[in-house]
Amino acid sequence: MRQAVHQERRAGHRTSPDGRIGGRPALRPWLAALLLVPLLAACNGGAASAGTSGTTGTASAGPTATSGAASSAAGTDTAAGTVTAGGVTTPAAVTAPSATGTRPTVRNDLARNSLRRSLPVDGERFGLRVDYWTQVPTAQWSATSARDLHLAAYLSVTGATAPQVLLDRWTVQWRTLAVVPVLDDVLLDQWTDAPTGDLPGWTVTATYPYASAVTSGGIADALLERWRADGGTGVPSDAALHTAGVDAVVVELRYDLSIRSPGETLWHRRTVLDRLTVPVAG
């Protein structure tokens, strides 16, 4: 068995008629030149990869790992609005589409940072008197900046006897008002307040209100998606959003009431809607 292996090895070394059995044959000149070609190409390629990138002005020692959502041509992560170059991540350049046409004048319902509203309740002999105010001046409001809203809702009774009124649910939504459809009516934030447990609702009277406060801010995912659908790039600033057509922030409020009139045993439902508009700076 050992002899057979030894013979196979000897036969394996016979690469040319001129080579010695079991020895290393000499390379012919044309074969040596042929083997040097890929070796020189590999050396030149290694030197190029270790050089300086003319696009970024930084040395690159090899390929840089990028996110699967990144553009292979520009190195831009369209989901995060960032650019990765030379191992450094920076915010992507913002391209803002520009709205054309006449921009409407938007009334500021909270121009004094407070407002009292008298809201009718359909089919009832009472209404809601709601006091709104904000601790963040509306001159600073935008589609992305921090903003807040406080309120106190009372009954405004016109009859001799007030009904029993419970507030079952209160909902507030923040939306955009824009001159271009793609950026209009985008939900920025929302909040719902409802009782928990066995409590059917909050009692509201002419002297005892329902009171609440909500805050909102930051750029909403829905707004970022609409921005990109409109041709914008990067993460938009408030000025860029205004240039693209966003003119105001709209606060939409909904009051769901349960009502029992004097002398009745059954409850019935009513819904009251309100809407506040605050222009954003251009």
Side-chain angles (χ1 to χ4, degrees), residues 94-99 103 142-145 147 176-180 182-184 186 188 218-220 222-228 230 232-249 280-282:
V94 175
T95 301
S98 181
R103 305 289 286 266
S142 73
T144 64
S145 63
R147 50 196 177 264
T176 59
L177 179 65
V179 295
V180 291
V182 70
L183 294 175
D184 187 44
V186 180
L188 302 175
I219 186 165
L223 181 59
L224 197 56
E225 291 176 2
R226 295 282 193 94
W227 166 261
R228 289 168 179 162
D230 195 35
T233 62
V235 178
S237 63
D238 295 327
L241 286 168
H242 186 266
T243 300
V246 178
D247 288 320
V249 171
V280 297

Side-chain angles (χ1 to χ4, degrees), residues 13 15-16 18-27:
H13 287 300
T15 57
S16 70
D18 297 333
R20 295 174 297 177
I21 295 177
R24 186 181 302 273
L27 291 177

Side-chain angles (χ1 to χ4, degrees), residues 18-239:
D18 297 333
R20 295 174 297 177
I21 295 177
R24 186 181 302 273
L27 291 177
R28 292 180 179 271
W30 62 268
L31 182 58
L34 184 62
L35 293 176
L36 283 175
V37 171
L39 180 60
L40 292 175
C43 294
N44 291 335
S49 64
T52 301
S53 170
T55 303
T56 62
T58 56
S60 175
T64 301
T66 57
S67 171
S71 167
S72 60
T76 302
D77 187 341
T78 56
T82 59
V83 174
T84 301
V88 178
T89 301
T90 57
V94 175
T95 301
S98 181
T100 59
T102 303
R103 305 289 286 266
T105 300
V106 181
R107 184 182 65 184
N108 189 351
D109 290 324
L110 291 172
R112 298 182 178 180
N113 299 319
S114 63
L115 175 69
R116 172 169 288 184
R117 278 278 175 84
S118 294
L119 306 176
V121 182
D122 292 342
E124 304 296 334
R125 300 182 63 184
F126 72 93
L128 284 182
R129 187 186 82 243
V130 185
D131 291 330
Y132 298 106
W133 69 97
T134 176
Q135 294 181 346
V136 177
T138 55
Q140 301 176 15
W141 281 32
S142 73
T144 64
S145 63
R147 50 196 177 264
D148 69 330
L149 184 69
H150 301 249
L151 67 90
Y154 301 81
L155 289 191
S156 178
V157 181
T158 57
T161 305
Q164 279 188 275
V165 177
L166 299 177
L167 179 62
D168 296 334
R169 182 183 299 266
W170 175 69
T171 303
V172 57
Q173 292 185 341
W174 313 76
R175 293 183 174 273
T176 59
L177 179 65
V179 295
V180 291
V182 70
L183 294 175
D184 187 44
D185 199 34
V186 180
L187 180 62
L188 302 175
D189 205 352
Q190 65 180 343
W191 171 258
T192 297
D193 194 11
T196 58
D198 297 331
L199 184 67
W202 294 285
T203 299
V204 182
T205 70
T207 57
Y208 190 82
Y210 165 81
S212 187
V214 290
T215 60
S216 180
I219 186 165
D221 291 339
L223 181 59
L224 197 56
E225 291 176 2
R226 295 282 193 94
W227 166 261
R228 289 168 179 162
D230 195 35
T233 62
V235 178
S237 63
D238 295 327

